[in-house]
Amino acid sequence: MSKKHNNWTEKDSAKAKQIWKEFQLKNNLSDRIGQTAGIDPKSGRIWFGKSIREIVMEREKEGFFSPVFFERVGSETYFHKGSYN
């Protein structure tokens, strides 16, 4: 079952980034480099997985359908734009 959530705000992004920053300061993530982190700004919970899809599927299995913010552990950016020549 799919649920739509169109209520994501800049505050949600800022909150998720704050949660992620604090989490990184308090935890050694060296064994998770390259994994995807899904940060829920409402609950403060963080999921880890191999991909966005894996995290979404796990969250849905647990009954979570709210929007989530994604980061790549060990990277400054998650997605890169550009041409692949």
Side-chain angles (χ1 to χ4, degrees):
M1 175 164 61
S2 177
K3 295 184 179 184
K4 285 189 175 185
H5 293 276
N6 297 324
N7 55 351
W8 189 269
T9 67
E10 287 299 319
K11 282 186 175 184
D12 292 323
S13 294
K15 179 67 175 174
K17 289 176 184 179
Q18 175 188 355
I19 292 166
W20 181 236
K21 183 178 180 178
E22 291 173 8
F23 186 86
Q24 290 179 93
L25 291 172
K26 295 176 184 175
N27 297 277
N28 178 358
L29 298 175
S30 59
D31 61 332
R32 295 190 181 272
I33 300 272
Q35 288 186 1
T36 299
I39 305 108
D40 183 336
K42 304 289 189 220
S43 70
R45 186 166 171 194
I46 299 174
W47 287 262
F48 291 94
K50 294 178 184 175
S51 66
I52 289 173
R53 180 182 160 108
E54 185 176 290
I55 291 171
V56 169
M57 289 174 58
E58 179 62 31
R59 292 181 80 241
E60 288 178 353
K61 189 167 57 172
E62 294 178 21
F64 290 90
F65 298 94
S66 60
V68 65
F69 188 89
F70 295 99
E71 290 281 353
R72 173 81 64 197
V73 180
S75 293
E76 290 185 31
T77 59
Y78 192 90
F79 291 109
H80 296 278
K81 288 187 177 182
S83 62
Y84 297 94
N85 295 326

